[in-house]
Amino acid sequence: MTSGQSLPQDPEPTLTIAEVAERTGLSHDTLRYYEKAGLIERVGRTTGNQRRYDAADLLWLEFLLRLRDTGMPIAGMQRYARLRARGDVSVADRLAMLREHRAELADRMRALRRNARALDAKIHHYERLLDEQTGTEETT
Amino acid sequence: MTSGQSLPQDPEPTLTIAEVAERTGLSHDTLRYYEKAGLIERVGRTTGNQRRYDAADLLWLEFLLRLRDTGMPIAGMQRYARLRARGDVSVADRLAMLREHRAELADRMRALRRNARALDAKIHHYERLLDEQTGTEETT
DNA sequence: GTAGAACCTGGAGCGCGCTCCAGGTCAAGC
DNA sequence: GCTTGACCTGGAGCGCGCTCCAGGTTCTAC
């Protein structure tokens, strides 16, 4: 019933911060910062107060990274994390957030495609220009 | 021979900073900042030292915005602007920069599409989940 | 049991891309 | 010619998302 796809296997909190940093590409500092910022719910600890992450933490971090990489600011992720912490009652709100974020992403992707086409045009322009220059110089 | 498409009409420097701000969406401060940073070559001035932009300035600004909006940092734009200032001899270098930038843009767009698909999956998951919840509550 | 690496905390600092401010000059309308 | 709003400059400040630091604790290997 609980998830567990495509990841290590242990549902137990066994990953050190260094291992999670390695897997997510985040730095130790960023992981601690995200936790302090409330993006990650309090991570498990050893008796000696060192963090031990589990597979679910890793999945959640990967999701956060998806939000981040699609342009959601930390404040947005905090809002989402707070909703998530409230459990199933917040599913509708989370869905609304995701839909809105998805729509903004679509807008930005459209804009990028427009700009990419314009860049392509400029590149082609320069390619032609260079061909001419080179041709001219060769005949000199 | 000099350009002049799709824009006002006057090749003369007649646009005040306010007008350029309006057309580009940049603030007055940002326009001055870009000039100070060397992104825009010294803009024309009135005898009273006030800026007057011409159509070419506007085209260049629009191009800069395209670079910015596709993720090029200021330092990159500065490099490009310096090349441009050297004239035709730098066409090959500018082309190389544009190609590299275009390739990075393609990478980022690919990553965005991947992330967008993952978000869609999550959204659909929540939609199904919500349907179930709602259904359950209705029968209560 | 001890060395050395990994980890902890709170808080300061940084790079980026602007944005704001103070204190002045200029221009357009009356 | 005067007012008022737009503009000027140099430089300080800001919000974001980390990143670094000091000073201490814990873990691992020997």
Side-chain angles (χ1 to χ4, degrees):
Chain A
M1 231 129 189
T2 47
S3 69
Q5 347 143 321
S6 79
L7 268 169
Q9 53 274 23
D10 35 25
E12 298 310 315
T14 64
L15 297 162
T16 66
I17 197 168
E19 287 163 337
V20 174
E22 164 109 18
R23 282 169 202 248
T24 59
L26 294 171
S27 72
H28 301 200
D29 277 325
T30 300
L31 283 167
R32 289 192 273 252
Y33 165 68
Y34 278 10
E35 189 176 340
K36 206 188 297 188
L39 294 185
I40 317 177
E41 272 193 274
R42 180 107 184 138
V43 159
R45 304 288 178 133
T46 65
T47 53
N49 196 36
Q50 296 197 356
R51 290 172 179 80
R52 287 300 118 95
Y53 297 79
D54 64 21
D57 293 328
L58 215 45
L59 283 173
W60 170 238
L61 274 168
E62 279 162 10
F63 176 66
L64 281 180
L65 287 186
R66 228 190 302 288
L67 293 182
R68 183 191 74 170
D69 292 347
T70 49
M72 186 181 287
I74 298 267
M77 296 192 275
Q78 285 172 327
R79 194 153 89 73
Y80 193 95
R82 278 195 300 274
L83 287 176
R84 177 173 181 264
R86 290 172 41 199
D88 284 353
V89 296
S90 68
V91 166
D93 289 342
R94 278 184 269 165
L95 177 56
M97 270 197 80
L98 289 182
R99 278 177 171 155
E100 188 179 334
H101 181 61
R102 182 65 179 81
E104 288 166 9
L105 175 56
D107 286 349
R108 276 182 298 112
M109 287 174 73
R110 260 191 296 281
L112 283 182
R113 276 192 292 274
R114 250 204 326 281
N115 282 327
R117 277 195 300 275
L119 285 179
D120 285 338
K122 185 117 186 168
I123 286 170
H124 291 140
H125 171 69
Y126 274 164
E127 282 170 345
R128 282 193 301 276
L129 216 158
L130 250 195
D131 278 357
E132 290 169 24
Q133 274 192 10
T134 314
T136 306
E137 279 166 28
E138 266 174 348
T139 56
T140 309
Chain B
M1 230 129 191
T2 47
S3 69
Q5 348 142 318
S6 80
L7 267 170
Q9 52 275 20
D10 35 25
E12 297 311 316
T14 62
L15 297 163
T16 66
I17 196 167
E19 286 162 338
V20 173
E22 163 109 20
R23 281 170 203 248
T24 59
L26 295 170
S27 71
H28 300 201
D29 276 325
T30 300
L31 283 167
R32 289 191 273 251
Y33 165 67
Y34 278 9
E35 189 176 339
K36 206 188 296 189
L39 295 185
I40 318 176
E41 274 192 273
R42 180 108 184 135
V43 157
R45 305 286 178 134
T46 64
T47 53
N49 196 36
Q50 298 197 354
R51 289 172 180 78
R52 287 301 119 94
Y53 297 79
D54 62 21
D57 292 328
L58 215 45
L59 283 173
W60 170 240
L61 275 168
E62 279 161 12
F63 176 66
L64 282 179
L65 287 186
R66 226 186 306 286
L67 293 181
R68 183 191 75 171
D69 292 347
T70 49
M72 184 180 288
I74 299 266
M77 296 193 275
Q78 285 172 326
R79 195 154 88 74
Y80 193 95
R82 278 194 300 274
L83 288 176
R84 177 173 181 263
R86 290 172 42 200
D88 285 352
V89 296
S90 69
V91 166
D93 290 341
R94 278 184 268 167
L95 177 56
M97 272 196 78
L98 288 183
R99 278 177 171 155
E100 188 179 334
H101 181 61
R102 183 63 179 85
E104 288 167 7
L105 175 56
D107 286 348
R108 276 182 297 112
M109 286 173 74
R110 259 190 296 281
L112 283 182
R113 275 192 292 274
R114 251 201 328 280
N115 283 327
R117 277 195 300 274
L119 286 179
D120 286 338
K122 184 116 186 167
I123 285 169
H124 291 139
H125 172 68
Y126 273 165
E127 282 169 344
R128 283 192 301 276
L129 216 159
L130 250 196
D131 278 358
E132 290 169 24
Q133 274 193 10
T134 315
T136 306
E137 278 166 27
E138 267 174 348
T139 56
T140 309

